[in-house]
Amino acid sequence: MRAIRGWFRDTTGGLPRTFWYLWTGTLINRLGSFVLVFLAIYLTQERGFSAYQAGLVLGLWGVGGAVGTTVGGTLTDRWGRRPTLLTAHLGGAVMMLALGFAHELWAVGLGALLLGLFAEAARPAFGAMMVDVVPERDRLRAFSLNYWAINLGFACAAVLAGFAAQAGYLLLFVVNASTTLVTAVIIFVKVKETRTITVSAPTGVVPVGALRTILTDRVYLLFVALNLLGALVFLQHISMLPIAMSDSGLSPATYGSVIALNGVLIVAGQLFVPRLIRGRSRSHVLALAAVVMGVGFGLTAFADAAWFYGLTVLIWTIGEMLNSPSNATLIAELSPGELRGRYQGVFSLSWQLAGAAAPILGGLVREQAGNATLWLGCAVIGLVMAVGHLLSGPARERRAVALRTVGVGPVVTPQSTAPQPAAPQAAEPVATTRQ
C-alpha cells in the first residue's frame, strides 16, 4: 500500500493548480465527446450519405481544423491563451448544435467545416498554456496525465455514445455541446492568462521572423511531416474502421465497445509508460511506436469479427501510448518560447491536414483498391515512419539541446567548425495527442 501511495505521489504530486484546472476541463470535455466517434456512422446510416460523402464531410472538418489551428496559434501568441481558449470553446459549442440540426449535404459540410475551425483553434492555446505553467522536469508526467484524462473520457464516451445513439443521434450533439460549455466555464472562472513577454535574444544572436523561422526549421518540419504520416494512419479508426465493421455486420454499439478498448487500455496503462520509457532514446521509442501502430492497423485487413477488431485496436493502442508522451515533450523542447503558440499550431496543423485527407484518401483507396489494400497500406506507412524517426532523431536532440542552451528559437549565427555537443540524456525523456 505504501508503494502505491508513493507511486501516486510521484505521478501526480507537485504539479501547479492551473494544470489541474486544465486537466479537469479536458476530462469533462472528453466525457461528452460523442460526435466525432460516431460521425461516420451517423452520416452513412442516419443521413444516408455514401462512404465517399461521409469521408468528404470528415475531410471538411479537417480543413476547418487546419485553418483553426493556424489562426489559433497566432492568436495564442498575440491575443493570449485564455481568450483564445474561451472563444474557441464557445464557438465550438454553438457549431456542435448547428451540425446536429443540419440535414442537407451542403449544410452538414459547412457545419463540419466551422466546427473543425473552432474546435481546433483551442489546441495551440491549450498546449502553450500547459508548457507555460508546467516546469520542464514535470512535463512528461503532466502530458501523460492529460493524455490519460483524454482517454478516460474517450473510453466512457465511446460506450455511452453507442447507447445514446439508439435514443436519437441529436442527443449526441446536445451532450457534446454541453460539456464544451462546461469546460469554457472552468477556464473562465479558474484559469488566468499565462502568456509572458519573452526577453530579448542574447548579444550576437539574430532572431528571424516568425513565419520564416518555422518555414526554415527543417528539423521541426520533418518531425511534423512524420506526425502527419502517423495521423493519416491513426485517423482511419474514426473514418474507415466503423464502416469496415458495419460491412462485417457489426452494430454501432459494437463499434463503440470495440473502440472503447483503446481508451480503457490507455487509462489502465498510460501512467506507467513514463517510467517504462524513461532513459531510453526517444527516436527508438517513436520508431517502435510506429511499427506497433502499423501492425495493429494492418491486421484490420483480416478482421471479420468483433474480437478480432478488438485485438487490432489493442495492438495499435500500445503504439499510440508509446508515441503520445514522446511527441508532447519533443514539441515543448523544439518550440521557442516567443513562438510557442505558432509552433504548437503548426504541429496541430499536421493533425488537421490528416483529418482532411485521411477520410477522403481512405474512402478512395477502399472503394478503388479494396478494404485489405487500405489497411495493409497503413502497415507500410508505419514502417516508413519508423525509418524516418531513426534517421532524424539525432538532429532533433541536438536542436533541443541548442534551444535549452540559447533560450530562443532557430537563430542565424556565424558558421563554426566546432563539433556540436551530443544530446545529453534528459531527466525524463520520451502527444492530439489523441486529438
Side-chain angles (χ1 to χ4, degrees), residues 80-112:
R81 282 62 156 145
R82 186 172 181 267
T84 302
L85 279 174
L86 287 172
T87 303
H89 279 82
L90 292 173
V94 172
M95 293 314 306
M96 186 70 69
L97 290 176
L99 180 60
F101 286 103
H103 291 273
E104 300 296 330
L105 178 60
W106 70 268
V108 172
L110 179 61

Coordinates of all heavy atoms in Angstrom, one line a residue, residues 80-112:
G80 N -3.5 36.1 -26.6 CA -3.4 35.4 -25.3 C -4.0 34.0 -25.3 O -4.9 33.7 -26.1
R81 N -3.5 33.2 -24.4 CA -4.0 31.8 -24.3 C -5.5 31.8 -23.8 O -6.3 31.1 -24.4 CB -3.2 31.0 -23.3 CG -1.8 30.5 -23.7 CD -0.8 31.6 -24.1 NE 0.5 31.1 -23.9 CZ 1.5 31.4 -24.7 NH1 1.3 32.3 -25.7 NH2 2.8 31.0 -24.5
R82 N -5.8 32.5 -22.8 CA -7.1 32.4 -22.2 C -8.2 32.9 -23.1 O -9.2 32.1 -23.3 CB -7.1 33.2 -20.9 CG -8.4 33.0 -20.1 CD -8.2 33.7 -18.7 NE -9.4 33.6 -17.9 CZ -10.4 34.5 -17.8 NH1 -10.3 35.6 -18.6 NH2 -11.4 34.4 -17.1
P83 N -8.1 34.1 -23.7 CA -9.2 34.5 -24.6 C -9.4 33.6 -25.8 O -10.5 33.4 -26.3 CB -8.8 35.9 -25.0 CG -7.4 36.0 -24.7 CD -7.1 35.1 -23.5
T84 N -8.3 33.0 -26.3 CA -8.4 32.1 -27.4 C -9.1 30.9 -27.0 O -10.0 30.4 -27.8 CB -6.9 31.8 -27.9 OG1 -6.2 33.0 -28.3 CG2 -7.0 30.8 -29.2
L85 N -8.8 30.3 -25.9 CA -9.5 29.1 -25.4 C -11.0 29.4 -25.2 O -11.8 28.6 -25.6 CB -8.9 28.6 -24.1 CG -7.6 27.8 -24.2 CD1 -7.1 27.6 -22.7 CD2 -7.9 26.5 -24.9
L86 N -11.3 30.5 -24.6 CA -12.7 30.8 -24.4 C -13.5 31.0 -25.7 O -14.6 30.4 -25.8 CB -12.9 32.1 -23.5 CG -12.5 31.9 -22.0 CD1 -12.5 33.3 -21.4 CD2 -13.4 31.0 -21.3
T87 N -13.0 31.7 -26.6 CA -13.6 31.9 -27.9 C -13.8 30.6 -28.6 O -14.9 30.3 -29.2 CB -12.8 32.9 -28.7 OG1 -12.7 34.1 -28.0 CG2 -13.5 33.2 -30.1
A88 N -12.8 29.8 -28.6 CA -12.9 28.5 -29.4 C -13.9 27.6 -28.8 O -14.7 26.9 -29.5 CB -11.5 27.9 -29.4
H89 N -14.0 27.5 -27.4 CA -14.9 26.6 -26.8 C -16.4 27.1 -27.0 O -17.3 26.3 -27.2 CB -14.6 26.5 -25.3 CG -13.5 25.5 -25.0 ND1 -12.2 25.8 -25.1 CD2 -13.5 24.2 -24.7 CE1 -11.4 24.8 -24.8 NE2 -12.2 23.7 -24.6
L90 N -16.6 28.4 -26.8 CA -17.9 28.9 -27.0 C -18.4 28.7 -28.5 O -19.5 28.3 -28.7 CB -18.0 30.4 -26.6 CG -17.8 30.7 -25.1 CD1 -17.7 32.2 -24.9 CD2 -19.0 30.1 -24.3
G91 N -17.5 29.0 -29.4 CA -17.9 28.8 -30.8 C -18.1 27.4 -31.2 O -19.0 27.0 -31.9
G92 N -17.3 26.5 -30.6 CA -17.4 25.1 -30.8 C -18.8 24.5 -30.3 O -19.4 23.7 -31.0
A93 N -19.2 25.0 -29.2 CA -20.5 24.6 -28.6 C -21.6 25.0 -29.5 O -22.6 24.2 -29.8 CB -20.7 25.1 -27.2
V94 N -21.6 26.2 -30.0 CA -22.7 26.7 -30.9 C -22.7 25.9 -32.2 O -23.8 25.4 -32.7 CB -22.5 28.2 -31.2 CG1 -23.5 28.6 -32.3 CG2 -22.7 29.0 -29.9
M95 N -21.5 25.6 -32.8 CA -21.5 24.9 -34.1 C -21.8 23.4 -33.9 O -22.3 22.8 -34.8 CB -20.1 25.1 -34.7 CG -19.8 26.5 -35.2 SD -21.2 27.3 -36.1 CE -21.5 26.1 -37.4
M96 N -21.6 22.9 -32.7 CA -21.9 21.5 -32.5 C -23.4 21.3 -32.6 O -23.9 20.4 -33.2 CB -21.4 21.1 -31.1 CG -21.6 19.6 -30.8 SD -20.6 18.5 -31.7 CE -19.0 18.9 -31.0
L97 N -24.2 22.2 -32.0 CA -25.6 22.2 -32.1 C -26.1 22.4 -33.5 O -27.0 21.7 -34.0 CB -26.3 23.2 -31.1 CG -26.1 22.9 -29.6 CD1 -26.7 24.1 -28.8 CD2 -26.8 21.6 -29.3
A98 N -25.5 23.4 -34.2 CA -25.9 23.6 -35.6 C -25.7 22.4 -36.5 O -26.5 22.1 -37.3 CB -25.0 24.8 -36.1
L99 N -24.6 21.7 -36.3 CA -24.3 20.5 -37.1 C -25.4 19.4 -36.8 O -25.8 18.7 -37.7 CB -22.9 19.9 -36.7 CG -22.5 18.7 -37.5 CD1 -22.5 18.9 -39.0 CD2 -21.1 18.2 -37.0
G100 N -25.8 19.3 -35.5 CA -26.8 18.3 -35.2 C -28.1 18.6 -35.9 O -28.9 17.6 -36.1
F101 N -28.5 19.8 -36.2 CA -29.7 20.2 -36.8 C -29.6 20.2 -38.3 O -30.7 20.4 -39.0 CB -30.3 21.5 -36.3 CG -30.8 21.4 -34.9 CD1 -30.1 21.9 -33.8 CD2 -32.1 20.8 -34.6 CE1 -30.6 21.8 -32.5 CE2 -32.6 20.7 -33.4 CZ -31.9 21.2 -32.3
A102 N -28.4 20.1 -38.9 CA -28.2 20.2 -40.3 C -28.7 18.9 -41.0 O -28.5 17.8 -40.4 CB -26.8 20.5 -40.7
H103 N -29.2 19.0 -42.2 CA -29.7 17.8 -42.9 C -29.1 17.6 -44.3 O -28.6 16.5 -44.6 CB -31.3 17.8 -43.0 CG -32.0 17.7 -41.7 ND1 -32.3 16.5 -41.2 CD2 -32.4 18.6 -40.8 CE1 -32.9 16.6 -40.0 NE2 -33.0 17.9 -39.8
E104 N -29.1 18.7 -45.1 CA -28.6 18.6 -46.5 C -27.1 18.4 -46.4 O -26.4 18.9 -45.5 CB -29.0 19.8 -47.3 CG -30.5 20.0 -47.4 CD -31.2 18.9 -48.2 OE1 -30.5 18.3 -49.1 OE2 -32.3 18.6 -47.9
L105 N -26.5 17.8 -47.5 CA -25.1 17.6 -47.5 C -24.3 18.9 -47.4 O -23.3 18.9 -46.7 CB -24.7 16.9 -48.8 CG -23.2 16.6 -49.0 CD1 -22.7 15.7 -47.9 CD2 -23.0 15.9 -50.4
W106 N -24.8 19.9 -48.1 CA -24.0 21.2 -48.1 C -24.0 21.8 -46.7 O -23.0 22.4 -46.2 CB -24.6 22.2 -49.1 CG -25.9 22.7 -48.7 CD1 -27.2 22.3 -49.1 CD2 -26.2 23.9 -47.9 NE1 -28.2 23.0 -48.5 CE2 -27.6 24.0 -47.8 CE3 -25.4 24.8 -47.2 CZ2 -28.2 25.0 -47.0 CZ3 -26.0 25.8 -46.4 CH2 -27.4 25.9 -46.4
A107 N -25.2 21.7 -46.0 CA -25.3 22.2 -44.6 C -24.5 21.4 -43.6 O -23.8 22.0 -42.7 CB -26.8 22.3 -44.2
V108 N -24.5 20.1 -43.8 CA -23.7 19.3 -42.9 C -22.2 19.6 -43.1 O -21.4 19.7 -42.2 CB -24.0 17.8 -43.1 CG1 -23.0 16.9 -42.4 CG2 -25.4 17.5 -42.7
G109 N -21.8 19.7 -44.4 CA -20.4 20.0 -44.7 C -20.0 21.3 -44.2 O -18.9 21.5 -43.6
L110 N -20.8 22.4 -44.3 CA -20.5 23.7 -43.8 C -20.4 23.7 -42.2 O -19.5 24.3 -41.6 CB -21.5 24.7 -44.2 CG -21.3 26.2 -43.7 CD1 -20.0 26.7 -44.2 CD2 -22.5 27.0 -44.1
G111 N -21.3 23.0 -41.6 CA -21.3 22.8 -40.1 C -20.0 22.1 -39.7 O -19.4 22.6 -38.7
A112 N -19.6 21.1 -40.4 CA -18.4 20.4 -40.0 C -17.2 21.3 -40.2 O -16.2 21.2 -39.4 CB -18.3 19.1 -40.8

